């Protein structure tokens, strides 16, 4: 004889099993409506190029270009342009070259020795000082080669290029008298602002000339149609850091050299507008 307790347990199990069968059969006979919801959140970090130096009013240091590469088209989120600074400083170049700034002058063939007005900055300005000098029949004043050194800074999370285009300010012949050369500086400290501690040269060649499209000086007259002056193949940011930490400095050397010109040439200006466009290809 089975025990009552065993029989009770078996009966409960049989009832539960039969209930499950009936419930399954009911689902087969009458299904309820089902609605589908699909959600696919998606975020991405676009290519970014941050360009800084001075602005049109001479404020420094300031970011005036914030370029994003969204969907293959570059967009600058800041309405304005970057203006260069004097290399090695945060002095805006558009305010640093007043009318009193000019080509380097050389006093030559003096019994007391030759001297020039280039005292560290490669051009003549009111800050230059000359010593008294003696005259002979051959003592003369001539212009000599002059250089203007300017810079801007770039921080990116992606490889980028730089295009350059030159235009005359007044006389198109001036473009034949000015040449430009580009180099890069990975790290430094300009007027107390350190840069580049978390940066790399934005080309795997890893020199201050890597990615620059020509090695020496190029006449501005060859750049009127625009062309790349730099082509990179990696970002500037090499490790976590601030914008300044992840920036490298692009250094421009403008050279004016027409040979010896004396006082008979009078006064004149040699001037050009040169525009550099940072873009993500």
């Amino acid at each position: 004889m089975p025990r009552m307790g065993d029989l009770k347990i078996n009966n409960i199990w049989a009832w539960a099993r039969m209930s499950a069968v009936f419930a399954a059969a009911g689902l087969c006979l009458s299904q309820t409506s089902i609605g589908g919801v699909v959600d696919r959140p998606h975020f991405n970090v676009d290519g970014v190029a941050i360009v800084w130096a001075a602005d049109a009013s001479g404020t420094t240091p300031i970011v005036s270009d914030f370029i994003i590469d969204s969907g293959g088209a570059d967009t600058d989120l800041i309405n304005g342009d970057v203006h260069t600074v004097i290399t090695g400083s945060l002095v805006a170049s558009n305010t640093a070259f007043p009318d009193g700034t000019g080509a380097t002058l050389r006093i030559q063939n003096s019994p007391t020795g030759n001297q020039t007005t280039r005292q560290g900055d490669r051009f003549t300005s009111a800050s230059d000082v000359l010593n008294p000098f003696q005259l002979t029949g051959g003592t003369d004043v001539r212009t000599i080669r002059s250089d203007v050194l300017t810079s801007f800074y770039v921080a990116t999370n992606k490889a980028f290029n730089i295009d350059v285009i030159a235009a005359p300010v007044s006389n198109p012949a001036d473009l034949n008298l000015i040449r430009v050369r580009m180099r890069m500086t990975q790290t430094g400290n300009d007027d107390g602002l350190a840069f580049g501690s978390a940066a790399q040269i934005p080309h795997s060649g890893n020199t201050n000339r890597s990615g620059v499209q020509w090695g020496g000086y190029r006449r501005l007259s060859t750049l009127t149609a625009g062309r790349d002056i730099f082509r990179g193949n990696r970002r500037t940011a090499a490790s976590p850091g601030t914008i300044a930490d992840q920036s490298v400095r692009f250094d421009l050397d403008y050279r004016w050299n027409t040979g010896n010109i004396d006082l008979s040439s009078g006064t004149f200006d040699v001037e050009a507008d040169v525009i550099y466009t940072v873009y993500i290809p």
Side-chain angles (χ1 to χ4, degrees), residues 51-173:
V51 190
W52 57 279
D55 64 10
S57 66
T59 302
T60 63
I62 189 168
V63 174
S64 297
D65 280 334
F66 196 103
I67 302 153
I68 60 170
D69 176 38
S70 181
D74 288 355
T75 302
D76 188 356
L77 302 184
I78 298 176
N79 183 21
D81 293 312
V82 174
H83 292 254
T84 58
V85 294
I86 302 300
T87 299
S89 77
L90 293 178
V91 177
S93 62
N94 56 342
T95 62
F97 299 121
D99 291 341
T101 299
T104 303
L105 301 176
R106 177 174 60 196
I107 310 300
Q108 61 186 23
N109 300 325
S110 167
T112 49
N114 297 341
Q115 54 182 313
T116 70
T117 57
R118 59 186 304 170
Q119 299 180 10
D121 52 15
R122 302 196 189 191
F123 52 86
T124 299
S125 67
S127 62
D128 290 320
V129 177
L130 289 175
N131 297 319
F133 57 91
Q134 291 182 330
L135 287 174
T136 68
T139 304
D140 204 356
V141 178
R142 296 292 182 95
T143 63
I144 61 174
R145 190 193 79 198
S146 299
D147 294 83
V148 171
L149 308 178
T150 61
S151 299
F152 60 90
Y153 307 80
V154 179
T156 72
N157 66 351
K158 191 175 181 180
F160 64 98
N161 294 351
I162 301 176
D163 178 82
V164 59
I165 186 168
V169 173
S170 56
N171 186 356

Side-chain angles (χ1 to χ4, degrees), residues 5 8 14 18 33 35 43 49 64 70 129 171 176 181 209 250 256:
K8 185 176 182 181
M18 290 178 63
S33 298
F43 300 92
S64 297
S70 181
V129 177
N171 186 356
N176 282 319
R181 186 191 72 177
R209 297 174 56 178
F250 283 86
W256 177 76

